[in-house]
Amino acid sequence: MKKFIISLLFVPVLANSAQNFNSAKNNLTKLYKSYLTQTEFYCGCDIAWVGKKGVVDFSKCGYKPRKNLNRASRIEWEHVMPAENFGRHLQCWRDGGRKACKKDVTFNKMEGDMHNLQPAIGEVNGDRSNYRYSQFTKEFTQYGQCKTAVDFKERKFQPRDEIRGVIARTYLYMSDKYKINLSNQEKKLMMAWNKMYAPENWECQRNAHIAKVQGNDNRFITQQCK
């Protein structure tokens, strides 16, 4: 993944306002627009920003829409750990899923945690759904040159090598901060990816900027960036 070059003029804008998904998306858009260069998460495509809208030039990164051109044409904010994974621990989720949790303060805080959000091509975000991360293939044909794969039958999603460490440290952070249980298989995979793929400069700086805006860092990144 390309290293991010961050504008030194970026000023934290969230302060002590409520943490929720809408505020997180707004603040992340401002934060990402302050970068001189940036890339989309799952395929590594360069993002161009038009107002609050993020777009990708498919011809430059070799991405080919699998099925949904309309959704592929926009950048969405992807929950690395899906909402179902952290929401199902709450009573509101058991009462009625995501819709029932919209007024739950704890759910809003988890849903709006910027450390768990990444800019993604909308089609890939949709295809990922709440599938578990895994490694199952060496062939990548679903999205052109994008080295990401989805097994819809087995509900598995294989991310490209460059972001596996980022995913691991996000899962470990969410589990640690919000007391979310990971399965033994999932925990082993995340711990392995965390060791195999150390943070790059862009991840360290992203973590530092989010800490300024949101008020807390991801310690699993911080401890490797010193």
Side-chain angles (χ1 to χ4, degrees), residues 20-22 24-25 71 76-108 110-113 116-117 125-126 128-130:
N20 56 56
F21 192 29
N22 285 333
K25 289 188 290 184
R71 195 165 181 183
E76 298 177 353
W77 290 102
E78 155 80 321
H79 285 95
V80 178
M81 175 182 280
E84 182 178 359
N85 288 42
F86 55 76
R88 65 190 178 197
H89 293 265
L90 303 175
Q91 184 61 49
C92 62
W93 193 276
R94 294 191 285 272
D95 290 341
R98 193 169 190 162
K99 185 177 181 179
C101 283
K102 283 300 182 181
K103 295 183 179 180
D104 186 274
V105 174
T106 301
F107 178 80
N108 284 331
M110 292 189 289
E111 188 184 34
D113 195 312
N116 188 41
L117 292 166
N125 179 28
R128 189 271 166 123
S129 184
N130 61 354

Side-chain angles (χ1 to χ4, degrees), residues 175-193:
S175 176
D176 177 67
K177 182 169 180 61
Y178 300 108
K179 311 305 177 188
I180 299 167
N181 295 325
L182 303 178
S183 69
N184 289 335
Q185 181 181 7
E186 200 166 45
K187 188 172 183 178
K188 287 179 180 178
L189 179 63
M190 296 307 165
M191 291 180 71
W193 281 359

Side-chain angles (χ1 to χ4, degrees), residues 41-91:
F41 194 55
Y42 287 131
C43 299
C45 296
D46 289 342
I47 301 173
W49 294 95
V50 182
K52 293 183 178 181
K53 182 181 179 181
V55 294
V56 168
D57 185 341
F58 298 153
S59 66
K60 291 183 178 180
C61 66
Y63 181 87
K64 292 183 179 180
R66 182 186 66 83
K67 186 177 181 180
N68 192 332
L69 176 61
N70 184 53
R71 195 165 181 183
S73 300
R74 65 176 185 256
I75 290 295
E76 298 177 353
W77 290 102
E78 155 80 321
H79 285 95
V80 178
M81 175 182 280
E84 182 178 359
N85 288 42
F86 55 76
R88 65 190 178 197
H89 293 265
L90 303 175
Q91 184 61 49

Side-chain angles (χ1 to χ4, degrees), residues 1-223:
M1 189 180 230
K2 295 180 181 179
K3 290 185 177 180
F4 284 56
I5 303 174
I6 301 175
S7 168
L8 297 178
L9 297 177
F10 175 72
V11 178
V13 293
L14 185 59
N16 294 317
S17 60
Q19 183 173 311
N20 56 56
F21 192 29
N22 285 333
S23 67
K25 289 188 290 184
N26 289 335
N27 283 289
L28 280 166
T29 298
K30 293 175 183 178
L31 190 154
Y32 270 70
K33 286 176 68 176
S34 74
Y35 291 148
L36 299 180
T37 62
Q38 57 216 286
T39 55
E40 178 274 340
F41 194 55
Y42 287 131
C43 299
C45 296
D46 289 342
I47 301 173
W49 294 95
V50 182
K52 293 183 178 181
K53 182 181 179 181
V55 294
V56 168
D57 185 341
F58 298 153
S59 66
K60 291 183 178 180
C61 66
Y63 181 87
K64 292 183 179 180
R66 182 186 66 83
K67 186 177 181 180
N68 192 332
L69 176 61
N70 184 53
R71 195 165 181 183
S73 300
R74 65 176 185 256
I75 290 295
E76 298 177 353
W77 290 102
E78 155 80 321
H79 285 95
V80 178
M81 175 182 280
E84 182 178 359
N85 288 42
F86 55 76
R88 65 190 178 197
H89 293 265
L90 303 175
Q91 184 61 49
C92 62
W93 193 276
R94 294 191 285 272
D95 290 341
R98 193 169 190 162
K99 185 177 181 179
C101 283
K102 283 300 182 181
K103 295 183 179 180
D104 186 274
V105 174
T106 301
F107 178 80
N108 284 331
K109 185 175 182 180
M110 292 189 289
E111 188 184 34
D113 195 312
M114 290 188 284
H115 289 294
N116 188 41
L117 292 166
Q118 295 283 352
I121 290 173
E123 180 181 44
V124 184
N125 179 28
D127 286 352
R128 189 271 166 123
S129 184
N130 61 354
Y131 297 172
R132 67 186 183 280
Y133 291 111
S134 183
Q135 293 177 239
F136 55 86
T137 187
K138 293 184 179 180
E139 297 183 5
F140 305 95
T141 60
Q142 293 166 302
Y143 307 104
Q145 296 177 24
C146 175
K147 293 187 176 181
T148 285
V150 186
D151 185 330
F152 293 99
K153 183 177 180 180
E154 298 295 327
R155 300 178 62 83
K156 297 188 295 185
F157 184 96
Q158 180 171 313
R160 60 197 182 98
D161 293 1
E162 293 88 343
I163 61 170
R164 290 177 183 174
V166 184
I167 290 168
R169 285 178 283 280
T170 301
Y171 263 68
L172 294 173
Y173 161 82
M174 291 293 289
S175 176
D176 177 67
K177 182 169 180 61
Y178 300 108
K179 311 305 177 188
I180 299 167
N181 295 325
L182 303 178
S183 69
N184 289 335
Q185 181 181 7
E186 200 166 45
K187 188 172 183 178
K188 287 179 180 178
L189 179 63
M190 296 307 165
M191 291 180 71
W193 281 359
N194 182 39
K195 292 180 180 179
M196 290 172 65
Y197 304 99
E200 294 184 13
N201 182 59
W202 74 268
E203 185 184 352
C204 294
Q205 297 206 44
R206 180 183 188 274
N207 177 51
H209 271 280
I210 289 176
K212 291 178 182 178
V213 179
Q214 185 169 284
N216 71 288
D217 68 340
N218 177 339
R219 68 180 182 89
F220 296 94
I221 300 173
T222 302
Q223 64 192 13

